[in-house]
Amino acid sequence: MKKLLSLLLTAALTLGLTIPAMAAERAPVVILHTNDVHTATDGYAAVAAYRQEMEEQYGADRVTLVDAGDAIQGGPIGTLTQGASLVDIMNYVGYDYAIPGNHEFDYGMDVLLDLALTKAQYTYLSCNLLDKAGKGVFAPYGVEDYGDVQVAYVGISTPETLTKSNPTHFQDDSGSYIYSFCEGGNGQALYTAVQNAVDSARKDGADYVVALAHLGMEGTTAQWTSSAVIANTKGIDLVIDGHSHEVYQQQVSNLAGEPVDLVQTGTQLANLGCITLDPSTGEFITEMPSLEGETVPADPDTQAYLAQVNSQFEEELNQVVGSTAVQLKATAENGYDWAVRVGETNLGDLVADAYRWALGADIGLCNGGGVRADIPVGDITYQSLLSVQPYGNELCLVEATGQEVLDALEMGARLYPESSGGFLQVSGLTFTIDASIPSSVQLSDQGAFQGVTGPYRVTDVKVNGQPLELDKVYTVSSHNYLIKSGGDGFTMFQDNTLLKDSVILDNQSLITFFVEGLDGQVGADYQDPAGQGRITILNASAQPEQPEEQPQPEEPEQQPQPEQPHPRTYTVQKGDSLWRIAAQELGSGKRWQEIYELNRDLISDPSMIFVGQELKLPQA
């Protein structure tokens, strides 16, 4: 028997997890897990304390510590050492397994391979990262023998890595892909790779299979979510997830209809995952204690080690380059969600302004996923700016037609209202997003832009106050990730004329803009956290969350409708979109949202539906 007991602990952490008594003859196996740490190193002292406590209670041979990706990038120390210092820290804390998230590749494939194969004392796993010969780059799984029970850990990396890291890291000099994440077949290639790894692990004697996945749920490609992988495979007992920075403990039915446990801890060590397996019953117990607050215990030796690592970079990182009288926002008011990925913010405006100013462009573009931290009121240091722009991308200036600019804006807005790293912050132009129009952006298997097949949800584009001319050539400034490499799927600029190629680092352009463009002082121009009104969003009430807030008394009126016992259905055909189905079956494309709401259990991304899906329809 196997079941999930979810215990979400929000109170301050005290040493010793409340683990139910297990069968005396077989000690439990404890799996501690983290994900999306993004170089938030302070929490590792608490992780170390937890590991030590579990080892003292159950034995060092019964405790395993794993990471579900995106650990070595995101902050200044990661940038300055290309992830090496973070691997050292993970070695010190005692990790056993990790998987490469999309941001593990941000320093390049050669760097990651060197870190993983020569520096890391833990094992990197990925069952779906293949070289051009179809051979796995890392081991697909590892089997831990706890004496009386064997547990396999299967690594799964998101195929979104091809666009959510620098695409050129996976290509040869001619631009051909020499690495694959099993991205083809509308998810089938990934499901097959995972199933093969699970089956092999079972044949190798694994009693249980735990997937370490960097897949996520919200804002990720529908066929590559963790729930989609579970639903299309069997033999996995539990999935430890990452990538979407969410906190969840839930169950999803697999291909055989069996419940599979799915957990994720959020980001930056806000929580620690603790899974306890009772080998006598097969019961999994999950806990998620908070690692935030003064009462959280920390291992003093690890604290001292972290302090020594940080001290090496203090002088360089603390150099003051300017100051700000206003808080510059990348995150939402809760300090957790990314405001810069769903709308305009003052920091997004400033970064895009820096790009345009540095290269004298007509237009500046910055992907929201590249703006990684707030800047508080007060002095602005090198560390502040490295935290905002940690990737070390290089600015480029390209010629682009108005049509290509429009396509880029449409690509950036395609997932709204879902959070998306490809949402564009802009300088030198304004535009409107109509959220009632479903995106008809078409993507390749690798997630690259291919075209728009229906109405544009982006309208009323103006460049420096003048209407965008589709045939006119403009100069566009952004970083090489977006302009040259097709990052986040922005391929519309790749074949265009480069006027300036990789001339300055993105974070250095921020420093220069602060010092010279703003005379070292950020003031009233950026005082509104929501920015300067460059992006207007219409019909924002069309967001998926909105219908859940409608008054409950309306429900009885809907229950007697004939469609409840005998709902109308429609089978998706080639070329269909929700807008097209609504126009054809309901008389108005604007009713696409009603179809989406009726089928939320089937559709996670309204811009992605698949041939053969049977959709419930509201009354015409």
Side-chain angles (χ1 to χ4, degrees):
M1 180 183 70
K2 170 181 166 297
K3 68 177 182 178
L4 175 69
L5 301 179
S6 297
L7 303 173
L8 181 59
L9 304 184
T10 56
L13 174 63
T14 56
L15 263 178
L17 291 170
T18 309
I19 297 179
M22 300 295 178
E25 68 276 12
R26 302 181 73 184
V29 170
V30 178
I31 304 168
L32 301 176
H33 60 95
T34 59
N35 64 272
D36 297 278
V37 175
H38 287 294
T39 75
T41 58
D42 290 347
Y44 280 125
V47 174
Y50 253 124
R51 175 164 191 156
Q52 291 170 14
E53 174 68 12
M54 293 300 98
E55 289 179 344
E56 290 173 5
Q57 191 168 355
Y58 299 110
D61 60 344
R62 308 295 287 187
V63 179
T64 298
L65 176 59
V66 302
D67 183 81
D70 281 7
I72 67 173
Q73 175 278 345
I77 293 178
T79 302
L80 293 173
T81 67
Q82 292 194 305
S85 288
L86 282 306
V87 172
D88 286 340
I89 291 170
M90 293 176 71
N91 288 339
Y92 188 91
V93 175
Y95 276 81
D96 298 290
Y97 293 104
I99 64 169
N102 51 297
H103 289 303
E104 256 74 38
F105 297 93
D106 284 349
Y107 310 116
M109 182 65 78
D110 290 343
V111 172
L112 176 59
L113 291 176
D114 182 61
L115 293 175
L117 301 178
T118 67
K119 194 174 186 65
Q121 296 169 11
Y122 49 93
T123 302
Y124 275 95
L125 304 170
S126 180
C127 73
N128 64 304
L129 172 57
L130 311 178
D131 63 19
K132 63 181 179 181
K135 181 180 178 182
V137 175
F138 298 114
Y141 60 88
V143 178
E144 284 293 299
D145 186 351
Y146 297 99
D148 54 351
V149 64
Q150 286 72 44
V151 177
Y153 296 89
V154 174
I156 312 173
S157 300
T158 176
E160 289 191 336
T161 302
L162 290 172
T163 56
K164 291 191 173 179
S165 186
N166 192 322
T168 59
H169 295 332
F170 314 107
Q171 301 168 349
D172 60 20
D173 292 339
S174 66
S176 299
Y177 280 93
I178 56 176
Y179 292 99
S180 163
F181 286 85
C182 299
E183 62 276 2
N186 286 329
Q188 290 302 321
L190 176 62
Y191 311 149
T192 299
V194 173
Q195 190 65 67
N196 289 341
V198 172
D199 293 344
S200 294
R202 292 287 186 181
K203 289 180 181 178
D204 280 351
D207 300 301
Y208 299 92
V209 173
V210 174
L212 304 182
H214 197 78
L215 296 171
M217 295 282 281
E218 182 181 355
T220 61
T221 306
Q223 67 264 30
W224 297 331
T225 61
S226 49
S227 61
V229 169
I230 293 172
N232 287 277
T233 59
K234 54 186 178 180
I236 298 173
D237 296 291
L238 183 143
V239 176
I240 295 171
D241 204 8
H243 188 43
S244 57
H245 297 193
E246 298 174 271
V247 178
Y248 44 69
Q249 299 177 97
Q250 56 185 277
Q251 289 187 322
V252 176
S253 295
N254 69 6
L255 190 60
E258 302 164 336
V260 175
D261 304 331
L262 173 63
V263 295
Q264 186 182 172
T265 69
T267 185
Q268 296 189 330
L269 292 180
N271 305 293
L272 175 67
C274 180
I275 298 163
T276 308
L277 167 63
D278 181 355
S280 299
T281 64
E283 182 178 82
F284 284 96
I285 300 169
T286 70
E287 294 185 289
M288 204 172 293
S290 171
L291 296 185
E292 298 178 336
E294 295 181 358
T295 60
V296 176
D299 173 57
D301 290 339
T302 303
Q303 280 184 314
Y305 176 78
L306 294 172
Q308 187 271 329
V309 171
N310 289 326
S311 67
Q312 300 175 36
F313 308 99
E314 282 183 2
E315 183 176 353
E316 182 175 3
L317 294 175
N318 289 333
Q319 180 180 349
V320 175
V321 297
S323 64
T324 177
V326 298
Q327 186 175 24
L328 299 169
K329 295 292 292 180
T331 61
E333 288 305 312
N334 61 13
Y336 178 80
D337 294 319
W338 291 105
V340 78
R341 299 185 182 194
V342 293
E344 180 183 352
T345 75
N346 57 353
L347 183 54
D349 285 352
L350 190 145
V351 172
D353 285 347
Y355 288 4
R356 184 165 70 101
W357 181 88
L359 299 188
D362 297 320
I363 297 166
L365 300 177
C366 174
N367 60 319
V371 183
R372 305 296 296 189
D374 296 341
I375 297 180
V377 173
D379 287 341
I380 298 173
T381 63
Y382 185 44
Q383 178 165 356
S384 301
L385 300 181
L386 276 177
S387 296
V388 172
Q389 299 265 264
Y391 301 120
N393 288 316
E394 298 169 313
L395 295 195
C396 301
L397 185 69
V398 67
E399 289 184 338
T401 65
Q403 181 64 60
E404 290 165 337
V405 172
L406 177 61
D407 286 342
L409 298 176
E410 185 75 9
M411 179 69 174
R414 71 183 181 89
L415 291 178
Y416 180 87
E418 292 188 22
S419 178
S420 169
F423 190 95
L424 290 178
Q425 302 294 315
V426 300
S427 177
L429 61 75
T430 60
F431 66 97
T432 297
I433 300 171
D434 186 345
S436 70
I437 299 176
S439 172
S440 59
V441 169
Q442 300 299 300
L443 305 177
S444 70
D445 285 342
Q446 290 79 25
F449 176 86
Q450 290 187 316
V452 181
T453 61
Y456 280 70
R457 56 190 350 212
V458 169
T459 60
D460 193 30
V461 183
K462 291 184 173 64
V463 179
N464 296 313
Q466 299 301 312
L468 180 76
E469 299 179 40
L470 299 183
D471 295 332
K472 183 176 179 178
V473 175
Y474 299 89
T475 56
V476 177
S477 176
S478 189
H479 41 58
N480 56 324
Y481 170 78
L482 191 148
I483 293 291
K484 295 175 60 179
S485 303
D488 283 318
F490 288 92
T491 56
M492 60 285 299
F493 304 120
Q494 285 187 302
D495 296 327
N496 293 12
T497 300
L498 275 173
L499 302 177
K500 296 181 180 180
D501 185 2
S502 302
V503 295
I504 185 174
L505 290 177
D506 50 8
N507 43 50
Q508 185 60 49
S509 76
L510 287 182
I511 295 172
T512 305
F513 185 57
F514 276 120
V515 174
E516 300 179 14
L518 300 176
D519 294 326
Q521 183 69 41
V522 178
D525 287 347
Y526 300 96
Q527 65 183 352
D528 189 341
Q532 299 174 10
R534 301 173 185 182
I535 304 173
T536 300
I537 299 177
L538 302 178
N539 299 305
S541 61
Q543 296 186 19
E545 294 80 6
Q546 197 71 14
E548 299 176 1
E549 301 173 3
Q550 297 301 317
Q552 294 301 315
E554 294 182 5
E555 293 183 3
E557 299 178 10
Q558 300 175 357
Q559 291 174 354
Q561 298 295 326
E563 65 189 82
Q564 292 296 334
H566 302 289
R568 297 176 61 213
T569 61
Y570 177 86
T571 302
V572 177
Q573 307 296 315
K574 184 176 181 180
D576 275 343
S577 67
L578 291 185
W579 178 280
R580 182 173 300 176
I581 296 170
Q584 175 183 312
E585 300 293 324
L586 306 180
S588 172
K590 292 185 177 180
R591 295 186 64 186
W592 70 271
Q593 184 75 20
E594 298 175 45
I595 303 176
Y596 177 49
E597 290 304 325
L598 279 177
N599 296 276
R600 289 290 296 277
D601 59 333
L602 186 65
I603 304 173
S604 60
D605 180 349
S607 69
M608 299 190 70
I609 57 176
F610 304 100
V611 173
Q613 284 181 320
E614 190 169 283
L615 305 180
K616 298 186 290 289
L617 298 180
Q619 284 194 334

